[in-house]
Amino acid sequence: MGAYAVAISFFLSLSIALCLRIHALSSDTTSACHPHPRTLRSDQLTVLINGYSESRLPLLRSIAVSFSASPLVSSVLVLWGNPSTPPLTLSQFAHNLSLSSWGAPISLVPQLSSSLNARFLPRSSIKTRAVLVCDDDVEVDPKTLEFAFKMWRGNPDRLIGVFVRSHDIDLTRKEWIYTVHPDKYSIVLTKFMMMKTEYLFKYSCEGGSPMREMRRVVDEMRNCEDILMNFVVAEETNAGPLMVGAERARDWGDPRNEDGDAYGARDVGLSSRRAEHRKRRGECIMEFHRIWGKMPLRYSYGKLVSSVGEQGLCKKGSKLVPCDH
């Protein structure tokens, strides 16, 4: 057998082994998976990264490896939501992830469908009381992750996030809208959403026919799973989410980026079509309100910061800057 044939044979064997591994992981969901909180670790969290676009694979790998390096992270699950991706591409990506991981283990978990509801499925492989749900185009520095986790441990029933939005009512049209307020917020985005693992079960397995109908809205709109999770948690806590200040949070998918598209992230995400995106999310809020029969979302005010720093201003050169800079 020639060297080329040996290489092909080895690669195929590796691909089959990886496919078997990711197939096993893809079935790691069950509606009966509702572990008691006492059996879960409270000193670490599990990171759930949603992925779909093959053009973002290099960025996704970089983000997964960054989370894996944190001592706060127990494991990283890359939830692949594009069933049409060739198996060979997935097996090669899984291999690259395994080679890149030098901290917490990173696993590729192909989803059985492209449903956005799948990112909130409870999984028996989650061994922590907290999960961080995030997107494949947002990089957050380690200090922000550490601070957010510290805030979650002090407020375990609340949603903790970096990126926030608001619901509101348009009095002229008498309908709910999705918007941004400068001084209040009621919705944490899944760009970075930290919460207790129990909420995965509440979203996916509880709530009866109303929750099933609202999950169908998410599938029909291909949007708004984050808004629905905010509904679920607000109903449970009768309180709004908590926003933490980020020392550095890079959103590669934001269409306002002006420094090129090194990772193929721009214009892939839903939010790149901004006007239509906001309209559709307002429609989701109206549908969820109709089905729920009330509005559970609650406003929060202000932002949690790790340090207030020096409050005085000093003149440096020709500028007034905080004295501790």
Side-chain angles (χ1 to χ4, degrees), residues 310-324:
E310 175 61 59
Q311 297 299 298
L313 294 178
C314 295
K315 188 172 183 180
K316 294 186 178 182
S318 61
K319 298 179 179 179
L320 283 176
V321 298
C323 296
D324 59 349

Side-chain angles (χ1 to χ4, degrees), residues 179-215:
T179 187
V180 178
H181 281 296
D183 58 351
K184 62 182 179 179
Y185 55 90
S186 57
I187 297 168
V188 162
L189 304 185
T190 43
K191 290 175 181 290
F192 186 100
M193 175 190 283
M194 194 175 292
M195 60 184 170
K196 64 181 181 182
T197 302
E198 181 183 340
Y199 288 142
L200 301 179
F201 186 87
K202 287 187 176 295
Y203 181 102
S204 301
C205 311
E206 292 187 352
S209 58
M211 272 302 296
R212 285 194 295 271
E213 187 176 351
M214 286 184 283
R215 289 195 299 267

Side-chain angles (χ1 to χ4, degrees), residues 22-261:
I22 61 181
H23 175 73
L25 287 167
S26 68
S27 61
D28 182 34
T29 58
T30 169
S31 61
C33 177
H34 192 193
H36 194 282
R38 290 181 181 176
T39 68
L40 301 175
R41 299 187 61 154
S42 60
D43 60 332
Q44 289 185 311
L45 54 83
T46 302
V47 179
L48 308 176
I49 308 177
N50 206 55
Y52 185 88
S53 173
E54 293 171 35
S55 67
R56 288 183 177 177
L57 287 177
L59 178 59
L60 174 54
R61 178 183 176 185
S62 173
I63 292 172
V65 171
S66 177
F67 279 122
S68 171
S70 171
L72 297 177
V73 174
S74 171
S75 64
V76 179
L77 304 183
V78 177
L79 311 178
W80 191 254
N82 187 351
S84 65
T85 302
L88 191 60
T89 299
L90 286 182
S91 63
Q92 189 171 16
F93 183 57
H95 179 58
N96 290 339
L97 287 176
S98 66
L99 291 178
S100 303
S101 174
W102 53 277
I106 306 174
S107 301
L108 180 64
V109 186
Q111 308 287 48
L112 300 178
S113 75
S114 60
S115 172
L116 291 171
N117 289 309
R119 69 191 310 182
F120 292 136
L121 285 171
R123 301 171 189 278
S124 60
S125 59
I126 297 174
K127 305 298 183 183
T128 58
R129 289 188 62 196
V131 293
L132 170 61
V133 178
C134 54
D135 289 344
D136 61 353
D137 58 357
V138 174
E139 290 183 288
V140 176
D141 64 283
K143 287 186 178 179
T144 297
L145 175 64
E146 180 181 355
F147 178 62
F149 187 52
K150 181 180 179 180
M151 292 300 99
W152 176 83
R153 293 186 72 176
N155 303 271
D157 293 330
R158 308 281 285 275
L159 287 180
I160 306 290
V162 172
F163 303 88
V164 298
R165 300 292 186 268
S166 297
H167 74 295
D168 206 341
I169 190 163
D170 185 328
L171 294 176
T172 60
R173 293 184 293 177
K174 296 182 179 179
E175 60 184 37
W176 295 106
I177 60 172
Y178 173 82
T179 187
V180 178
H181 281 296
D183 58 351
K184 62 182 179 179
Y185 55 90
S186 57
I187 297 168
V188 162
L189 304 185
T190 43
K191 290 175 181 290
F192 186 100
M193 175 190 283
M194 194 175 292
M195 60 184 170
K196 64 181 181 182
T197 302
E198 181 183 340
Y199 288 142
L200 301 179
F201 186 87
K202 287 187 176 295
Y203 181 102
S204 301
C205 311
E206 292 187 352
S209 58
M211 272 302 296
R212 285 194 295 271
E213 187 176 351
M214 286 184 283
R215 289 195 299 267
R216 279 197 296 271
V217 171
V218 170
D219 285 333
E220 291 168 3
M221 301 290 280
R222 293 188 58 80
N223 204 327
C224 306
E225 80 288 357
D226 51 349
I227 296 176
L228 182 53
M229 178 58 85
N230 279 270
F231 267 67
V232 169
V233 176
E235 172 70 8
E236 182 78 6
T237 63
N238 194 32
L242 294 176
M243 178 187 184
V244 296
E247 195 162 302
R248 184 184 65 82
R250 176 65 190 269
D251 186 352
W252 289 91
D254 194 307
R256 293 170 293 186
N257 281 304
E258 296 179 351
D259 57 348
D261 193 12

